[in-house]
Amino acid sequence: MKILVLNTGSSSLKSCLYDLGSQLPDNPPEPIWEAMIDWSKHTGYAEITVKLHQEKNIQEEVVANSRTEIIQRMLATLWEGETAVIHSPSEIDVIGHRVVHGGNKYQQSILIDAEVKQTITELAVFAPVHNPVNLEGIETTEKIFVNVPQIAVFDTAFHAHLEPAAYTYAIPMKYTHQGIRRYGFHGISHQYCRDRAAKLLNRPVTDLRLITCHIGNGCSLAAIRNGLSIDTTMGFTPLEGLVMGSRSGSIDAGILIHLLRQPDMDVEKLDRLLNRESGLLGISGLSPDLRPILQAIAEGNSQAQLAFDVYVHSLRSHIGSMIASLGGLDALVFTAGVGENSPEVRAAACQNFEFLGLQLDHLKNQQRGRDVDIATEESKVRVLVIHTQEDWQIACECHGYRQSPK
Ligand code: AMP
């Protein structure tokens, strides 16, 4: 079964092809083809990279006239030229799309039809940056892969079982009825980490209290009990919760009211300030990327130190809040760019939870490893580093659909 996955973002698009048998393997296999479009490197150009079996096969920079044309060009490398892995588009069995916002309506993955596309369009009011480009990916592939079933896999769906106490904001209920509530995001990654953690710990998901920490450019936590997400830090939008690379995370809403009253402020500027100019970047004045911040700290830069300290303070206090929601903790899982690669952040986050009997093995924490337990044997809480594989999770959803169409 050939499953194509598309993960379309505003400045980049990632796609991959899995070739699977009727049974899903225990461990995620390598895709047989991987491609990426990066629109952010040079204005007016797009860079297309195609990899086969971990080798970088082709890379080209093309004039970025139309996004659709570039996506078509990238997809054509599946059956044309030296990167061809199929003979024609009709060989693809199913296509999975990451869709950021599924609103109240979609609590699980769904076969895309005209109504689903219409709803994704309507939900763009809640996710104006993401849903329109997700739809663009869907509409481009449906023209090429005619009659191939396409599945929408929502980043919000994993959090669909939050209780009203966890998803309701304390504002007049008429706004809740308009859809202003906590949705939560990164659900595809949190779900993958839940399943992978259960496998690594050799325990059923229903038996575990987990906190999955997705810490990358965007950052969110999920509190998972009995396999369900019962609390999460992102909210109505991906801006809430943890301090992130360039997003502020939660701040006093009174600050927004104050800023909007200033003569030189408007809604667009405020949006840019909170989403693109804040977080690690805003405090350090250096970068949204943790690596140059750590470098600057080593060189004695006090603003970089403050950025790191605020980041860690936010991470610890949100982990504390997730523990309170769970009423205990069996495993803390770190994933995504920072979570998988920064022993400094993992150590700092864990330090204040030693009172729970959590003991980090500092040697294991320093070693690079994927899908490893970095707690000491005596630790009462396991600490896992898991390489998140959102594309694989999307492929699994599509595989389930092909086996038993919903
Ligand atoms: P992601 O959104 O998951 O791709 O994560 C991207 C972020 O991961 C970057 O902006 C960095 O802050 C962080 N990151 C990646 N590699 C490292 C590393 N070796 N050490 C610290 N942070 C890293």
Side-chain angles (χ1 to χ4, degrees), residues 381-392:
V381 177
R382 305 321 306 162
V383 182
L384 306 176
V385 179
I386 292 182
H387 171 54
T388 191
Q389 304 219 34
E390 288 163 297
D391 292 341
W392 173 244

Side-chain angles (χ1 to χ4, degrees), residues 37 67-77 79 140 143-144:
I37 305 173
R67 283 174 57 100
T68 309
E69 264 176 41
I70 305 235
I71 300 172
Q72 285 167 341
R73 186 164 176 156
M74 178 205 77
L75 290 169
T77 68
W79 61 88
T140 307
K143 287 195 191 95
I144 302 172

Side-chain angles (χ1 to χ4, degrees), residues 248-262 265 270 273-274:
S248 62
S250 296
I251 60 171
D252 177 357
I255 298 171
L256 316 187
I257 299 167
H258 168 77
L259 288 177
L260 276 173
R261 287 190 176 129
Q262 305 309 307
M265 186 54 79
L270 189 58
L273 184 149
L274 296 172

Side-chain angles (χ1 to χ4, degrees), residues 10-285:
S10 55
S11 58
S12 70
L13 180 154
K14 288 186 197 146
S15 181
C16 61
L17 182 69
Y18 291 98
D19 192 3
L20 305 174
S22 58
Q23 292 292 323
L24 281 175
D26 265 358
N27 294 314
E30 291 293 332
I32 59 170
W33 168 97
E34 278 177 276
M36 182 174 167
I37 305 173
D38 190 341
W39 278 280
S40 67
K41 287 210 167 145
H42 301 120
T43 317
Y45 288 87
E47 186 184 84
I48 302 179
T49 312
V50 182
K51 284 198 289 185
L52 300 182
H53 303 298
Q54 294 297 314
E55 288 167 33
K56 196 175 277 186
N57 281 63
I58 61 163
Q59 192 165 40
E60 59 170 347
E61 203 165 57
V62 288
V63 179
N65 287 329
S66 129
R67 283 174 57 100
T68 309
E69 264 176 41
I70 305 235
I71 300 172
Q72 285 167 341
R73 186 164 176 156
M74 178 205 77
L75 290 169
T77 68
L78 275 167
W79 61 88
E80 280 176 5
E82 55 183 328
T83 57
V85 286
I86 54 174
H87 298 104
S88 80
S90 62
E91 279 177 51
I92 301 294
D93 294 288
V94 52
I95 303 172
H97 294 271
R98 172 172 177 233
V99 179
V100 165
H101 217 306
N104 280 330
K105 188 161 178 183
Y106 297 121
Q107 309 207 340
Q108 58 184 20
S109 306
I110 189 157
L111 180 67
I112 298 170
D113 60 13
E115 188 191 325
V116 174
K117 285 197 288 178
Q118 180 57 32
T119 310
I120 294 172
T121 308
E122 285 162 13
L123 288 168
V125 291
F126 294 163
V129 178
H130 296 102
N131 271 31
V133 291
N134 299 157
L135 192 68
E136 174 189 62
I138 293 168
E139 292 186 328
T140 307
T141 48
E142 71 186 4
K143 287 195 191 95
I144 302 172
F145 303 93
V146 184
N147 294 330
V148 174
Q150 307 212 44
I151 311 292
V153 183
F154 298 97
D155 237 351
T156 46
F158 183 55
H159 305 296
H161 302 282
L162 295 182
E163 295 285 339
Y167 74 66
T168 308
Y169 290 109
I171 54 177
M173 281 306 285
K174 75 170 185 181
Y175 297 103
T176 313
H177 297 140
Q178 287 170 16
I180 298 184
R181 48 158 284 181
R182 178 183 312 286
Y183 290 101
F185 297 88
H186 290 147
I188 300 169
S189 173
H190 289 298
Q191 187 177 349
Y192 173 79
C193 289
R194 172 199 69 180
D195 294 344
R196 194 75 188 148
K199 206 162 267 175
L200 293 174
L201 297 170
N202 200 19
R203 286 172 66 179
V205 282
T206 45
D207 195 25
L208 286 169
R209 292 162 301 178
L210 300 172
I211 297 175
T212 45
C213 310
H214 179 110
I215 333 177
N217 280 321
C219 305
S220 72
L221 308 180
I224 302 171
R225 192 172 59 208
N226 292 328
L228 299 178
S229 167
I230 60 154
D231 204 356
T232 188
T233 55
M234 281 182 171
F236 174 61
T237 73
L239 183 55
E240 198 183 351
L242 300 169
V243 171
M244 311 182 206
S246 67
R247 288 180 222 155
S248 62
S250 296
I251 60 171
D252 177 357
I255 298 171
L256 316 187
I257 299 167
H258 168 77
L259 288 177
L260 276 173
R261 287 190 176 129
Q262 305 309 307
D264 59 346
M265 186 54 79
D266 60 35
V267 174
E268 291 312 314
K269 278 189 193 163
L270 189 58
D271 184 340
R272 198 168 60 236
L273 184 149
L274 296 172
N275 277 298
R276 293 202 249 141
E277 298 169 356
S278 295
L280 287 174
L281 171 65
I283 304 172
S284 70

Side-chain angles (χ1 to χ4, degrees), residues 190 211-216 218-222 233 241-244 248-250 280 290 307-323 332-335 338-340 342-353:
H190 289 298
I211 297 175
T212 45
C213 310
H214 179 110
I215 333 177
C219 305
S220 72
L221 308 180
T233 55
L242 300 169
V243 171
M244 311 182 206
S248 62
S250 296
L280 287 174
L290 188 66
F308 182 82
D309 292 346
V310 173
Y311 186 83
V312 167
H313 177 78
S314 160
L315 179 57
R316 283 178 185 155
S317 55
H318 283 90
I319 290 176
S321 143
M322 295 293 117
I323 293 175
L332 185 62
V333 179
F334 289 98
T335 193
V338 176
E340 292 172 34
S342 173
E344 299 87 348
V345 169
R346 292 193 298 257
C350 289
Q351 195 187 335
N352 283 25
F353 295 101

